[in-house]
Amino acid sequence: MSPKVSVVVPIYGVEKYLNQCIDSILNQTLKEIEIILVDDGSKDKCPQIVDEYAAKDKRIVAIHQENGGYGKAVNHGLDVASGEYISIIESDDFAEPTFLEKLYLKAKKYDADISKCDFNLFFEHTKHFQKGNMSKNRALPQECFLLKECPLFLYFHPSIWSCLYKKTFLDKFDLRIIETKGASWQDNLFQVQTMTLAKKIVFVNEFLINYRKFHYNESTDLKDFNIPYERSKEIHQWLNENHITDEDILACLYKREIAYMHIILHMKGGLKHIKKIAPMINEWIDKIPQQIISTNKYINHHERKFVARIRKNPDFWLFIYRLPRLKQIRKFFISLKIKKQYQLFQIFGIQLTNGMPDKEYPALLKIKL
C-alpha cells in the first residue's frame, strides 16, 4: 500500500540540526509515511546521519547525490516519492507532532491539491519562538478556496515546507523546483505555480511547523541582492506564458516584491553595492503596472508612496531608503530592554547584555555579562 504522505528532506551541511528535523518527522502522529532523505553531497556528517536513520526505520529512503543545489535535491526526492501527498521539509526545520496528520485530514476532506498551515519562527541565537503572521488580524478561509479568492497567500512567505501537495497534481503539471546553484529562493516560483494552478486549496489555522531563523532581520540573511529580482523575472515570465492576469493575484505578488526591495536596500553591506542596486530596483519598479499600484485594494499607502517616490526621483530616494532610520540611530546611541529572557543596555554604541536579545542591536562593542 502506498504511503499517505512522502516527506522529502533536501540536506546539505546541517549536521547540527538534522537529528532534530528527522526525529520530528519520525514522531509524527500520522504513521503511514515515507521519508526521503536526499543528501546533496554534504561534506560534514550528514551522509552518515542519513544512513544511520535509514538502517533503523524501513520508512526511510536514503539518497546520496553529487552537490547540485536545493532544487535538484528536492526534485530527486519528488521523482522517487510514492505517497498520495508530498511534503517538503527543510533539514534545519522541525515539525510539530500533528503537522502531517492535520494537513492530510483536511486535504482528504476536500480532495485538495494543496493543504497549508501557519508556522512558527524559531530564532536559533535566542532559542525562542515567534508565531507567524499569516493569520494575524486576517480572516483567512476555513473552507476550500481558489487563490483568486484569497490572493494574499502570494504576499506571505512562500513557505512551501508548510504544505502538503497532492502528487497527482504535481505530476499533472510537471511541477518541479528550478535547479540553480545553492539555496537561492528557488521555492518562490514553485509556490506561485502551485498556488495559481491549484483548483482546491485548504488552510489549517494552526502553527504546525517551526522555521529556523539564524538572524532576526531577513536583510541579514540575503547574501546576493540579484537573487530576488532574478526569481521575480522567472515568476512573471511564467505568469505571462500561462496567461494569468488576475489583478488581485498580481497585486499581492507586487506587494511581496516591494517588501523584497526593502530587504535588498537594507541588506548588510548593501551601501557599497548601491550603484548596482539602484538601476535594478528602478527597472523592477518600472515593470509594475501603475493601475495596480494606484487602485488595487491590496496595495497600501506606504507601498504606493514607496513606488511613487522611486519613479519620481530614483537616485535620491534609493539613497535615502538605504540610510539608517532615525529610530535605528537612536537605538545605536541609547537602548534599554528588560525582559525575562534577557536584559540589554546600550549607550554610545557600547552594548551590555545579560542573556541573548530577541533581535540584533548594532553596536561598536558588545559585552556579555
Side-chain angles (χ1 to χ4, degrees), residues 267-304:
M267 67 181 288
K268 190 174 182 179
L271 190 58
K272 66 182 179 182
H273 299 299
I274 192 65
K275 289 185 178 180
K276 295 180 180 178
I277 288 173
M280 181 187 72
I281 290 184
N282 289 338
E283 183 179 324
W284 204 345
I285 289 283
D286 286 343
K287 291 182 178 181
I288 301 178
Q290 182 59 42
Q291 179 185 349
I292 291 179
I293 290 295
S294 301
T295 63
N296 192 274
K297 63 183 179 181
Y298 289 104
I299 304 296
N300 64 36
H301 168 72
H302 298 291
E303 291 154 349
R304 289 193 179 102

Side-chain angles (χ1 to χ4, degrees), residues 342-366:
Y342 70 92
Q343 295 80 45
L344 179 146
F345 175 68
Q346 181 163 318
I347 186 165
F348 299 119
I350 299 174
Q351 183 182 115
L352 304 174
T353 57
N354 182 13
M356 292 293 290
D358 58 358
K359 65 173 74 174
E360 295 181 50
Y361 290 80
L364 292 174
L365 178 63
K366 297 184 179 182

Side-chain angles (χ1 to χ4, degrees), residues 11-15 18 37-54 62-65:
I11 299 165
Y12 184 80
V14 289
E15 64 178 19
L18 186 55
L37 304 179
V38 186
D39 162 41
D40 188 36
S42 293
K43 304 301 183 183
D44 58 6
K45 294 181 181 179
C46 285
Q48 178 184 339
I49 294 171
V50 166
D51 289 338
E52 288 173 353
Y53 273 98
I63 296 175
H64 301 280
Q65 64 177 37

Side-chain angles (χ1 to χ4, degrees), residues 123-363:
F123 292 95
E124 175 62 23
H125 66 297
T126 60
K127 309 299 183 187
H128 85 280
F129 293 86
Q130 177 181 308
K131 291 188 181 301
N133 63 0
M134 275 194 282
S135 53
K136 185 178 181 181
N137 301 322
R138 297 185 182 96
L140 297 180
Q142 298 304 304
E143 305 296 327
C144 193
F145 65 97
L146 289 166
L147 178 65
K148 67 180 181 180
E149 296 167 337
C150 190
L152 271 173
F153 278 90
L154 287 192
Y155 168 62
F156 302 146
H157 189 291
S159 55
I160 66 171
W161 31 260
S162 67
C163 301
L164 293 188
Y165 301 96
K166 186 189 287 185
K167 187 177 188 305
T168 55
F169 163 67
L170 296 181
D171 291 344
K172 175 183 177 181
F173 294 102
D174 193 25
L175 295 173
R176 294 294 186 268
I177 306 285
I178 56 172
E179 296 186 6
T180 55
K181 291 183 178 180
S184 52
W185 298 32
Q186 295 99 327
D187 55 354
N188 276 239
L189 177 58
F190 185 80
Q191 181 230 17
V192 172
Q193 291 173 323
T194 52
M195 281 284 177
T196 52
L197 292 173
K199 299 301 183 184
K200 295 179 181 179
I201 306 170
V202 291
F203 179 65
V204 177
N205 196 4
E206 295 185 49
F207 303 89
L208 297 176
I209 192 162
N210 304 295
Y211 172 42
R212 194 183 303 269
K213 293 278 289 176
F214 296 94
H215 302 102
Y216 185 81
N217 295 314
E218 286 188 276
S219 56
T220 307
D221 291 327
L222 184 63
K223 305 303 180 187
D224 183 349
F225 60 83
N226 293 291
I227 289 173
Y229 187 41
E230 291 304 312
R231 297 293 86 84
S232 167
K233 289 194 291 186
E234 292 160 356
I235 286 168
H236 287 286
Q237 179 181 341
W238 184 86
L239 291 172
N240 289 333
E241 290 172 352
N242 289 272
H243 311 293
I244 296 170
T245 58
D246 184 280
E247 283 200 4
D248 287 345
I249 288 176
L250 293 175
C252 289
L253 199 53
Y254 290 129
K255 185 179 180 75
R256 186 167 77 188
E257 291 174 0
I258 291 169
Y260 286 168
M261 292 178 205
H262 283 286
I263 290 173
I264 291 169
L265 287 169
H266 294 95
M267 67 181 288
K268 190 174 182 179
L271 190 58
K272 66 182 179 182
H273 299 299
I274 192 65
K275 289 185 178 180
K276 295 180 180 178
I277 288 173
M280 181 187 72
I281 290 184
N282 289 338
E283 183 179 324
W284 204 345
I285 289 283
D286 286 343
K287 291 182 178 181
I288 301 178
Q290 182 59 42
Q291 179 185 349
I292 291 179
I293 290 295
S294 301
T295 63
N296 192 274
K297 63 183 179 181
Y298 289 104
I299 304 296
N300 64 36
H301 168 72
H302 298 291
E303 291 154 349
R304 289 193 179 102
K305 195 173 182 180
F306 173 78
V307 170
R309 283 173 168 174
I310 302 299
R311 281 181 167 154
K312 186 174 182 180
N313 195 338
D315 293 337
F316 174 75
W317 280 107
L318 286 171
F319 177 75
I320 293 297
Y321 278 115
R322 186 65 194 89
L323 292 175
R325 302 289 190 269
L326 183 61
K327 187 176 181 181
Q328 291 173 300
I329 296 171
R330 192 268 300 164
K331 284 183 176 181
F332 178 81
F333 284 103
I334 184 165
S335 296
L336 178 64
K337 290 286 182 181
I338 300 176
K339 295 189 176 183
K340 288 182 179 180
Q341 301 92 339
Y342 70 92
Q343 295 80 45
L344 179 146
F345 175 68
Q346 181 163 318
I347 186 165
F348 299 119
I350 299 174
Q351 183 182 115
L352 304 174
T353 57
N354 182 13
M356 292 293 290
D358 58 358
K359 65 173 74 174
E360 295 181 50
Y361 290 80

